[in-house]
Amino acid sequence: MKTILILGAGLSSNMLVRYFVERADALKIKIRLGDKSIATAAAKVEKCAQCTAFEFDVFNDLQRNREVAKANLVISMLPARMHPVVARTCIRYGVNMVTASYASSEIRELDFEARKKGIVVMNECGLDPGIDHMSAMQMINRIRDRGLELVAFESSTGGLVAPGFENNPWQYKFTWNPRNVVLAGKDGARFLHNGKFKYIPYHKLFSRIETIDVPGLGEFEVYGNRDSLTYRETYRLHHLETMFRGTIRRPGFCEAWDTFVQLGATDDSYVMEDTENMTCRDFINSFMAYRVDIPVEKKLSLYLGIPEDSAMMGRLKWLGIFDDTKLCVPGLTPARVLQSILEKKWSLEADDKDMIVMQHQFDYIEDQKRKKIYSTMTFIGKDSYNTAMAATVGLPVAITSRLILEGRVNLKGVQLPIMKEVYEPVLEELAEYDIRFVEEEVEIPMDISSL
Amino acid sequence: MKTILILGAGLSSNMLVRYFVERADALKIKIRLGDKSIATAAAKVEKCAQCTAFEFDVFNDLQRNREVAKANLVISMLPARMHPVVARTCIRYGVNMVTASYASSEIRELDFEARKKGIVVMNECGLDPGIDHMSAMQMINRIRDRGLELVAFESSTGGLVAPGFENNPWQYKFTWNPRNVVLAGKDGARFLHNGKFKYIPYHKLFSRIETIDVPGLGEFEVYGNRDSLTYRETYRLHHLETMFRGTIRRPGFCEAWDTFVQLGATDDSYVMEDTENMTCRDFINSFMAYRVDIPVEKKLSLYLGIPEDSAMMGRLKWLGIFDDTKLCVPGLTPARVLQSILEKKWSLEADDKDMIVMQHQFDYIEDQKRKKIYSTMTFIGKDSYNTAMAATVGLPVAITSRLILEGRVNLKGVQLPIMKEVYEPVLEELAEYDIRFVEEEVEIPMDISSL
């Protein structure tokens, strides 16, 4: 019997845990599921004889060491900042580890130690990062194998609400960690466009958007996602002219969200005064100059140039940001206040279905013609528990973990799922769950400098 | 013989070192001046028999311990992030310490240890913070001693160029650390305005400005300086309706500087690609969308709404930001690139005179009338070496240090110069150097809610 230790039993672990519960006999495994809330963990494994749920505190050294020492594989679904302490423990006991998070510099620094111990610390195995890497590398290698040159690569992903359930003016609800949604984009974006390096600061990110069209689903808008430049190295694409990663939203979202960015309402670096007695209206007003002769709505309209009868102002009003409702919670940062306001409006109803949209664009040259492949994956969830997000994050983590557990991955050190031995079997198995890409190829003008 | 250890021999130490050199005999002191450049240190003390200049590396534990152990007082003019390691060493050996920097949370945490050792770690003893605290507390206590209630306090300071030397379209030159000027305002501003807490994020700081008038010098503009709210506690002013600290510039500066903030050109969090081969023009262009049909100047004008023939565009062009000059330095952050461009244009000429402007506004109620005291200090430097900045930063540090050395300050722990026993003698001695405040009192309308 082998033991899989899964740390973190939140929303994203739903499908991941079920994957192993369903295969516990076949794989001859025991599953230990730890979470800071034992109730959350227990609910996920109640009918599984080989499973144990327990209360877990990552900062309890004794417990962390004990749990990791008796595991054959550790899957950390904890917040990303907690991965390094888990990874160091895995290295100490020579236990392989898998996460769905970006490989931070702190994690990357463990590469040598992990290799020395002969283990793999496999990161970015979820959706984005995760499925995006795997599907992109598959196509990039196919193009490479044909002896052709890739000149542009763009990849965008969105966690959205399925058509029919987009029943609010933002066409958006929280389908993953609300805090991460509020803080998304903080570091701005860096990318390569037609041979030019481009840098967008956070406060311009949501006004520098592109539009994409997804067959059958219509228009979306895309804002830049972090540092795309590092992926030239990761994907070994040093001669690209364009390299861009983006986040997908429905049209109008970015413009309206930018209001909060411009106000400073997404700041998480300081605690506001007296949030206990603050109303939503006070909150918005605190980011604007003192002026009592006009209402807050009018002031906002003048400050940021938002027409008072626009759809954008409608989106803001719908959120209740001008209401006189008290927050009643002390010691909050602006980002925490905003999150609490949004959670009242953007939470999924029990029967709501979410939707993942991922679209890659690959430009390559063949016979002196420039061709573009659109590769698109859309996936719709079952309900607010069995979400598309939980499936597309949890399943690739689960499948990658199983491959490692079965000794079918021969990589050591800090890794991403960009090698054929990982992405081929993972993508193949994901297709069984209907997580698959549809491709379309078109010819585009050779000179794209006017685009 | 007592020993004063002065760490850091940069521009701000000029007057400070001279103060002690001139009094070495009278005070019966030896002066040890350490700097990472021994040449810089040696030049400042070459004619002083009681002085020793030496190469100093704050991270050399052995040297730091040895130097602090044999000192009776340590003055740290090093970059603020280096103060904690010096302070901990001072605590170990029971040596008093003085700095001109903001007391960081890391420094504040040493309060208990410092008290236990019976030493004082005196911070914020320069100009701003420094003279601003001292002069404000003097006036606040005067008003308090009359049994009157202070309702508003605003305090602004600028390191500027003296009239007659403001010979560029920005009416600005670097008179202190250029890096700090480029990064100024990063944390935005927080303050209290007519009973309302106000928060301004960095990207709105330079467009949310106020105008002040200084008799004889004309108009200036003021942008918010960090967190003013903490000073309610520091100054024991809990019933204030308005509490604001600002930074002073000549009109037009903030609007033009905001261009760099909006572009993201003051970002210091990442290294740009290929700065070695980057031109000034490339630098500016990298923050804007790809588009080759219009020149960079036009693109900037459209992106940020700057009229092409405006004074603002004139200021930008004068800096050379559109030039095809190569930077020739690898591995720079945007802030470092911008600094290198500005240093070519904003450096003081040898005979240039700089100027300090500080203005406090105190509102109080007397006989049911609202009165405002303007308290203004202006000070002009002699030349580009004997700057007003070096005098107004160095002299209060020197005088405070002398008071501590002579045992005339009975404070222990982490302190600011807000006690009468410190500010009265310091302000009195500063007046001998013509660093003094001029006061004017006016009556203003009782109801200021319409202002």
Side-chain angles (χ1 to χ4, degrees), chain B residues 105-153:
Chain B
S105 54
E106 215 181 331
I107 287 285
R108 286 172 197 270
E109 281 164 16
L110 299 173
D111 182 56
F112 178 76
E113 293 295 316
R115 282 176 197 275
K116 218 168 62 176
K117 272 285 186 162
I119 68 159
V120 63
V121 178
M122 180 67 82
N123 309 275
E124 309 192 15
C125 285
L127 167 65
D128 165 21
I131 295 177
D132 57 345
H133 292 329
M134 302 183 204
S135 51
M137 281 312 296
Q138 188 176 56
M139 182 62 74
I140 289 165
N141 281 333
R142 276 186 203 160
I143 292 168
R144 219 173 245 154
D145 292 347
R146 287 164 63 195
L148 302 173
E149 186 191 5
L150 196 69
V151 290
F153 172 60

Side-chain angles (χ1 to χ4, degrees), chain A residues 187 190 193-204 207-208 227 229 232 261-264 267 269-274 278 282 285-292 299 303-304 448-451, chain B residues 187 190 193-204 207-208 227 229 232 261-264 267 269-274 278 282 285-292 299 303-304 448-451:
Chain A
D187 294 329
R190 292 174 248 171
H193 191 169
N194 292 351
K196 302 286 182 191
F197 295 110
K198 294 294 174 189
Y199 308 89
I200 307 183
Y202 179 53
H203 59 268
K204 287 290 182 192
S207 55
R208 293 268 296 271
D227 184 0
L229 300 174
R232 288 178 303 160
V261 175
Q262 294 309 313
L263 287 173
D267 198 321
S269 70
Y270 66 91
V271 167
M272 302 184 85
E273 301 287 324
D274 199 25
M278 181 188 272
D282 292 336
N285 198 12
S286 72
F287 300 110
M288 297 188 286
Y290 182 86
R291 189 169 167 184
V292 291
K299 211 197 297 193
Y303 185 37
L304 299 181
I448 45 79
S449 69
S450 61
L451 298 180
Chain B
D187 294 328
R190 291 173 249 172
H193 191 168
N194 292 352
K196 301 286 181 191
F197 295 110
K198 294 293 174 188
Y199 308 89
I200 307 182
Y202 179 52
H203 59 268
K204 286 290 182 190
S207 55
R208 294 268 297 268
D227 184 0
L229 299 175
R232 286 177 304 160
V261 176
Q262 293 309 313
L263 287 174
D267 199 320
S269 69
Y270 67 89
V271 167
M272 302 183 86
E273 302 286 324
D274 199 25
M278 180 188 272
D282 292 336
N285 198 11
S286 73
F287 300 109
M288 295 188 287
Y290 182 86
R291 189 171 170 184
V292 291
K299 212 199 294 195
Y303 184 38
L304 299 181
I448 46 79
S449 69
S450 62
L451 297 181

Side-chain angles (χ1 to χ4, degrees), chain B residues 347-362:
Chain B
S347 293
L348 288 176
E349 305 282 319
D351 293 332
D352 275 348
K353 293 183 198 293
D354 72 328
M355 172 173 71
I356 300 298
V357 176
M358 183 179 285
Q359 187 181 70
H360 303 304
Q361 295 181 29
F362 306 89

Side-chain angles (χ1 to χ4, degrees), chain B residues 16-30:
Chain B
L16 163 68
V17 172
R18 193 185 309 158
Y19 182 92
F20 284 110
V21 167
E22 286 170 356
R23 288 162 181 77
D25 289 330
L27 293 173
K28 297 202 179 80
I29 51 170
K30 286 195 292 190

Side-chain angles (χ1 to χ4, degrees), chain B residues 227-359:
Chain B
D227 184 0
S228 301
L229 299 175
T230 62
Y231 291 93
R232 286 177 304 160
E233 185 69 34
T234 309
Y235 295 173
R236 289 180 293 119
L237 294 171
H238 297 286
H239 301 292
L240 276 185
E241 290 166 6
T242 293
M243 176 92 194
F244 176 81
R245 300 176 78 247
T247 298
I248 297 175
R249 294 287 179 263
R250 276 296 188 184
F253 178 98
C254 290
E255 179 191 56
W257 181 259
D258 196 35
T259 305
F260 298 123
V261 176
Q262 293 309 313
L263 287 174
T266 60
D267 199 320
D268 198 44
S269 69
Y270 67 89
V271 167
M272 302 183 86
E273 302 286 324
D274 199 25
T275 53
E276 195 159 0
N277 294 303
M278 180 188 272
T279 65
C280 296
R281 195 174 183 84
D282 292 336
F283 174 66
I284 294 301
N285 198 11
S286 73
F287 300 109
M288 295 188 287
Y290 182 86
R291 189 171 170 184
V292 291
D293 60 327
I294 50 171
V296 176
E297 291 85 347
K298 177 84 184 171
K299 212 199 294 195
L300 181 65
S301 161
L302 292 173
Y303 184 38
L304 299 181
I306 309 171
E308 279 189 272
D309 56 356
S310 60
M312 185 173 165
M313 188 58 91
R315 288 189 181 94
L316 296 170
K317 285 182 178 168
W318 178 86
L319 284 176
I321 61 167
F322 300 112
D323 293 356
D324 279 320
T325 323
K326 274 201 184 182
L327 301 172
C328 302
V329 184
L332 298 180
T333 65
R336 293 281 186 189
V337 172
L338 182 59
Q339 183 184 333
S340 77
I341 296 173
L342 297 173
E343 279 175 336
K344 288 184 191 125
K345 293 287 185 169
W346 278 359
S347 293
L348 288 176
E349 305 282 319
D351 293 332
D352 275 348
K353 293 183 198 293
D354 72 328
M355 172 173 71
I356 300 298
V357 176
M358 183 179 285
Q359 187 181 70

